[in-house]
Amino acid sequence: MKLKNTLGVVIGSMLATSSLGVLAQGQGAVEGEIFANRYFADSTRGYDNDEGNLFGGSIGYFLTDDVELALSYGEYHDIRTQATNKNIKGENGALTALYHFGQPGPGLRPYVSAGVGHQTIGQESGGRDHTTQGILGAGLKYYFTEHFYARGGVDGLYNFDRGDSEWMAGVGVGVNFGGAKPAPVVAAPEPIPEPEPVEEPPQTVRVELDVKFDFDKSVVKEESYGDIKNLADFMNQYPQTTTVVEGHTDSVGTDAYNQALSERRANAVRDVLVNQYGVGAERVDSVGYGESRPVADNATAEGRAINRRVEAEVEAQVQQ
């Protein structure tokens, strides 16, 4: 293949791919490059200045985001013999693996390379010299965008058939296209703190006691024991509670008599709470108010019956 045909194919590929709507680096990407290398030959070849140029192109495929397999072809120029100053022609083809450092994307990506090649080059005496080469190299690629880059590198060449070593230094420009866009790095979402438990305000529960008495009596009637027991059970359920048992009378009799009667009635109910239903004595107080706090009309028999009473009340705070 002539040099102009080689370069034409590579340049045509670069122009065609640059018009693609979706281009990206990374695994599955393809790179096309044209290059110009300075060739430094072994001194035993008998060239005039032991130097020449290699112009060509390459096509590479990224097996991973970092590993590329590249196939290249180039033609030698400006190599002249010492005796006749004859311009020597030749070709070089190679298969090379490149490992890139850094992340795909715009910026600098150093690389190292290794591969095998085949060189065929003319001789002063006629005919052509053929040799298989081992290739080791290193260089830098600078990606101006995700898709366009420039490269500079150095390759060491070992000619297996000749048993000598040569090297090349060169530059190239190329395009990269067709790879999968790297997945964007998504920051882990901030953990959502669990809401602080909302404490329900405590609820107040209340038990009331209203024990009625016969006229001029302080004996607790049998029918009132169930209500007193309910109060005792509540207080035993909530041992932090206390209560005051309040005794009252109607208006019949003197104030002093009614005061004493109200106290006896309050003590009678307290005794039932403490002695029969087990409420701690220190949690129950008793007080008498005589006839001073009527809740009904003392002018009627029905009202006086309502006023002959003992009252008690207990409250407790209950968490929901």
Side-chain angles (χ1 to χ4, degrees):
M1 179 184 291
K2 298 299 184 182
L3 174 63
K4 62 180 181 180
N5 294 334
T6 303
L7 299 182
V9 169
V10 175
I11 294 172
S13 299
M14 292 169 63
L15 293 175
T17 56
S18 66
S19 64
L20 295 178
V22 179
L23 301 173
Q25 291 187 39
Q27 183 177 7
V30 175
E31 281 190 347
E33 179 184 312
I34 56 174
F35 60 80
N37 291 344
R38 189 64 174 169
Y39 168 57
F40 299 90
D42 185 85
S43 60
T44 62
R45 287 183 180 265
Y47 299 144
D48 181 41
N49 54 5
D50 295 327
E51 296 179 10
N53 297 312
L54 179 70
F55 300 107
S58 68
I59 190 78
Y61 179 79
F62 277 79
L63 304 176
T64 70
D65 285 352
D66 304 317
V67 178
E68 178 188 11
L69 196 62
L71 183 65
S72 65
Y73 173 82
E75 294 184 355
Y76 291 103
H77 289 263
D78 305 317
I79 303 174
R80 296 186 177 274
T81 63
Q82 291 178 342
T84 63
N85 199 32
K86 179 181 179 181
N87 189 9
I88 300 296
K89 300 290 186 180
E91 294 86 30
N92 184 290
L95 179 64
T96 308
L98 296 86
Y99 182 85
H100 299 75
F101 299 91
Q103 296 297 319
L108 195 64
R109 296 200 77 186
Y111 71 87
V112 293
S113 61
V116 294
H118 183 77
Q119 181 193 77
T120 175
I121 194 166
Q123 300 294 299
E124 183 178 15
S125 58
R128 301 181 74 82
D129 178 73
H130 298 268
T131 185
T132 300
Q133 298 173 320
I135 305 170
L136 289 176
L140 298 171
K141 289 182 179 179
Y142 186 83
Y143 290 86
F144 300 99
T145 69
E146 283 193 346
H147 321 301
F148 297 95
Y149 69 92
R151 179 190 63 83
V154 176
D155 293 313
L157 311 173
Y158 180 77
N159 299 315
F160 291 106
D161 299 297
R162 292 177 52 84
D164 57 18
S165 299
E166 302 174 320
W167 62 286
M168 287 189 293
V171 294
V173 292
V175 293
N176 178 299
F177 60 94
K181 281 279 188 183
V185 178
V186 179
E190 291 291 333
I192 300 175
E194 293 187 7
E196 293 291 333
V198 178
E199 292 189 3
E200 295 289 339
Q203 180 181 0
T204 300
V205 291
R206 177 184 292 110
V207 174
E208 296 180 353
L209 178 67
D210 187 1
V211 177
K212 296 297 190 291
F213 288 83
D214 291 335
F215 176 72
D216 198 25
K217 302 293 184 182
S218 59
V219 177
V220 178
K221 294 189 285 187
E222 191 69 27
E223 60 196 54
S224 297
Y225 274 75
D227 292 337
I228 298 173
K229 183 177 185 304
N230 289 339
L231 177 64
D233 291 343
F234 183 86
M235 294 186 69
N236 289 331
Q237 181 180 357
Y238 300 101
Q240 76 279 11
T241 56
T242 60
T243 191
V244 177
V245 179
E246 301 174 351
H248 303 273
T249 69
D250 59 25
S251 60
V252 178
T254 66
D255 290 344
Y257 182 84
N258 287 335
Q259 177 62 38
L261 179 60
S262 66
E263 292 173 2
R264 292 196 300 273
R265 287 173 175 171
N267 287 328
V269 173
R270 180 182 183 277
D271 288 343
V272 175
L273 284 170
V274 172
N275 298 325
Q276 296 197 34
Y277 296 127
V279 179
E282 73 282 359
R283 297 171 58 199
V284 184
D285 288 332
S286 62
V287 62
Y289 290 104
E291 60 184 82
S292 63
R293 296 185 178 183
V295 293
D297 188 0
N298 277 313
T300 66
E302 292 80 5
R304 290 191 295 273
I306 294 173
N307 289 331
R308 295 191 294 268
R309 71 196 189 278
V310 166
E311 296 176 331
E313 182 178 290
V314 180
E315 287 186 355
Q317 300 292 315
V318 180
Q319 194 69 42
Q320 296 297 302

